[in-house]
């Protein structure tokens, strides 16, 4: 009705026209013209009998549409081309990720941690730290997560993981990857690439680094060159700071439940399954894009991969109760 039309138009001050047509030959032009009337105007439906819309079938409005050309869609390949990469080359990732308190808590909702340096703000501050420290394996997961390694076949393992400088919720991180070495497998069908993964905060300080080994389904040109990680990857400022707090730690006291001794084999009994949804959410937070983590259209659910950083972090978190209390961690040998 005219009243409904005027009610719809009330309060709008501009006029516009929406032109629509079908691309199937010469067809009359159908368009809708709406008069937008200011709310300050007195709307009298009886004084304005112009149509809300009209169909023009005059010869002047016929559209001469050329033969429709076929447009073929294309898939943009965001994966890095590592077929020609050489040792020593670096990849600076343009993305930035800010660790929020909710992201840290979301990690801890799946990965047990009984260590006060990760769970207690007053304890962390008593050691001269700003806040609870982001857990070691969350930093390892973030450092090793690659948004453009979409052609990777397998993640072989992590090694030489070091927490150089404390990271807190609210910090923003950027990544850098450096190719340390590469080789082809004996059957020449795959390649093994060793990568230094570096995480820098908003102040340009390297806070975490690790080495990550990956397998790719192609052969690379052979190279005997092996590049050493940068000197900053060997820094241990975080550890040195904790060592300097020895008197404070003695006054606070330890909360270790059971003593451990050299040569002791500890069997960890704590279990906690990680759901498929939780795994996908964590992978998304780390900006992983490999379809083997998500794509149930191509892969059966039983064929989806859990990111390696999550597997390692989950395994170690189940030992947290027995090894309580840990202040500092590093990973030396490949897992």
């Amino acid at each position: 009705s005219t009243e409904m039309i005027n009610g719809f138009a009330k309060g709008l001050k501009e006029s516009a026209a929406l032109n629509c047509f079908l691309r199937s030959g010469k067809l009359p032009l159908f368009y809708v013209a709406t008069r937008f009337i200011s709310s300050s105007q007195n709307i009298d439906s009886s004084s304005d009998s112009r149509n809300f819309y009209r169909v023009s079938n005059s010869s002047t409005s016929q559209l001469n549409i050329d033969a429709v050309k076929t447009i073929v869609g294309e898939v943009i390949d965001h994966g890095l081309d590592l077929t020609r990469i050489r040792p020593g080359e670096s990849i600076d990732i343009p993305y930035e990720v800010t660790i929020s308190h909710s992201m840290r808590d979301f990690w801890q909702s799946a990965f047990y941690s009984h260590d006060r340096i990760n769970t207690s703000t007053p304890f962390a501050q008593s050691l001269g730290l700003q806040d609870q420290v982001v857990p070691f394996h969350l930093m390892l997961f973030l450092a090793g997560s690659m948004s453009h390694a979409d052609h990777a076949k397998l993640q072989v393992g992590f090694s030489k993981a070091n927490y150089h400088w404390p990271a807190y919720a609210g910090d923003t991180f950027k990544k850098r990857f450096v190719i340390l070495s590469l080789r082809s497998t004996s059957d020449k069908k795959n390649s093994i690439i060793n990568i230094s993964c570096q995480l820098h905060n908003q102040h340009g300080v390297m806070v975490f680094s690790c080495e990550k080994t990956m397998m790719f389904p192609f052969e690379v040109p052979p190279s005997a060159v092996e590049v050493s990680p940068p000197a900053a990857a060997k820094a241990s400022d975080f550890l040195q700071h904790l060592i300097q707090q020895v008197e404070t730690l003695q006054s606070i006291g330890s909360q270790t439940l059971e003593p451990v001794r050299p040569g002791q084999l500890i069997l960890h009994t704590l279990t906690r399954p990680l759901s498929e949804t939780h795994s996908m959410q964590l992978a998304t937070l780390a900006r992983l894009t490999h379809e083997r983590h998500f794509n149930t259209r191509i892969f059966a659910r039983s064929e989806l991969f859990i990111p390696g950083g999550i597997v390692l972090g989950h395994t170690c978190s189940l030992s947290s109760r027995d090894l309580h209390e840990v202040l500092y961690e590093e990973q030396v040998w490949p897992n």
Side-chain angles (χ1 to χ4, degrees):
S1 65
T2 306
E3 291 77 6
M4 293 179 62
I5 295 170
N6 290 335
F8 176 74
K10 187 177 180 180
L12 300 175
K13 299 179 180 181
E14 302 293 335
S15 65
L18 175 64
N19 296 326
C20 305
F21 61 89
L22 299 176
R23 302 180 59 187
S24 59
K26 293 184 177 180
L27 295 175
L29 175 64
F30 172 82
Y31 69 91
V32 177
T34 308
R35 295 182 66 249
F36 298 107
I37 304 173
S38 172
S39 58
S40 61
Q41 286 181 281
N42 219 356
I43 301 176
D44 184 0
S45 59
S46 61
S47 62
D48 188 358
S49 60
R50 282 176 291 181
N51 293 330
F52 177 60
Y53 68 90
R54 65 186 176 88
V55 177
S56 173
N57 55 11
S58 64
S59 59
T60 58
S61 63
Q62 298 269 329
L63 296 179
N64 294 320
I65 302 176
D66 297 331
V68 178
K69 296 181 179 179
T70 301
I71 300 177
V72 179
E74 60 180 297
V75 176
I76 299 177
D77 186 359
H78 295 282
L80 292 172
D81 183 9
L82 299 178
T83 57
R84 298 182 180 277
I85 203 160
R86 310 308 295 156
E89 294 188 18
S90 61
I91 305 169
D92 290 307
I93 304 302
Y95 310 133
E96 299 183 8
V97 177
T98 299
I99 301 297
S100 63
H101 289 81
S102 59
M103 184 174 178
R104 182 195 63 192
D105 296 342
F106 187 67
W107 175 272
Q108 292 184 332
S109 71
F111 301 84
Y112 281 104
S113 176
H114 300 274
D115 305 321
R116 288 177 291 174
I117 197 169
N118 300 136
T119 63
S120 171
T121 297
F123 177 81
Q125 291 177 341
S126 69
L127 298 180
L129 300 171
Q130 176 181 323
D131 195 358
Q132 304 171 39
V133 176
V134 177
F136 174 87
H137 287 99
L138 174 52
M139 296 297 291
L140 175 69
F141 176 50
L142 292 175
S145 296
M146 298 180 175
S147 299
H148 293 281
D150 296 341
H151 301 305
K153 185 175 183 179
L154 287 174
Q155 183 170 305
V156 180
F158 291 98
S159 64
K160 300 180 182 178
N162 290 285
Y163 211 151
H164 307 293
W165 190 259
Y168 309 103
D171 283 347
T172 300
F173 302 106
K174 294 185 70 173
K175 302 178 188 180
R176 190 183 197 205
F177 301 120
V178 179
I179 306 301
L180 300 179
S181 63
L182 50 84
R183 64 178 178 86
S184 295
T185 55
S186 57
D187 60 5
K188 306 300 182 182
K189 294 181 179 180
N190 300 289
S191 297
I192 304 296
I193 301 180
N194 196 30
I195 305 170
S196 171
C197 308
Q198 305 165 14
L199 211 56
H200 297 79
N201 65 12
Q202 66 272 25
H203 306 296
V205 177
M206 184 188 296
V207 296
F208 197 96
S209 69
C210 65
E211 293 185 17
K212 179 180 179 180
T213 305
M214 303 182 70
M215 176 183 288
F216 291 85
F218 49 76
E219 183 183 4
V220 294
S223 175
V225 176
E226 292 188 8
V227 178
S228 299
K234 300 179 181 179
S236 57
D237 295 332
F238 186 16
L239 176 60
Q240 294 304 316
H241 173 81
L242 293 175
I243 292 175
Q244 293 172 5
Q245 307 302 313
V246 60
E247 293 183 1
T248 302
L249 289 169
Q250 288 177 344
S251 64
I252 294 175
S254 172
Q255 292 190 353
T256 299
L257 303 178
E258 295 290 338
V260 295
R261 63 183 186 275
Q264 182 180 8
L265 176 62
I266 301 176
L267 304 178
H268 306 294
T269 59
L270 183 63
T271 60
R272 196 276 191 198
L274 187 67
S275 69
E276 177 186 289
T277 299
H278 209 155
S279 173
M280 288 186 178
Q281 290 170 329
L282 288 167
T284 302
L285 285 173
R287 308 305 188 266
L288 283 169
T289 56
H290 199 298
E291 61 185 6
R292 199 66 190 255
H293 300 311
F294 307 99
N295 197 336
T296 55
R297 181 179 61 85
I298 297 177
F299 303 103
R301 295 187 180 276
S302 60
E303 296 176 327
L304 294 178
F305 285 168
I306 304 298
I310 293 180
V311 174
L312 179 59
H314 193 62
T315 302
C316 293
S317 73
L318 297 179
S319 68
S320 174
R321 180 177 61 175
D322 297 326
L323 298 179
H324 177 74
E325 169 174 47
V326 175
L327 291 176
Y328 180 82
E329 298 177 64
E330 65 180 30
Q331 183 184 342
V332 179
W333 302 105
N335 61 292

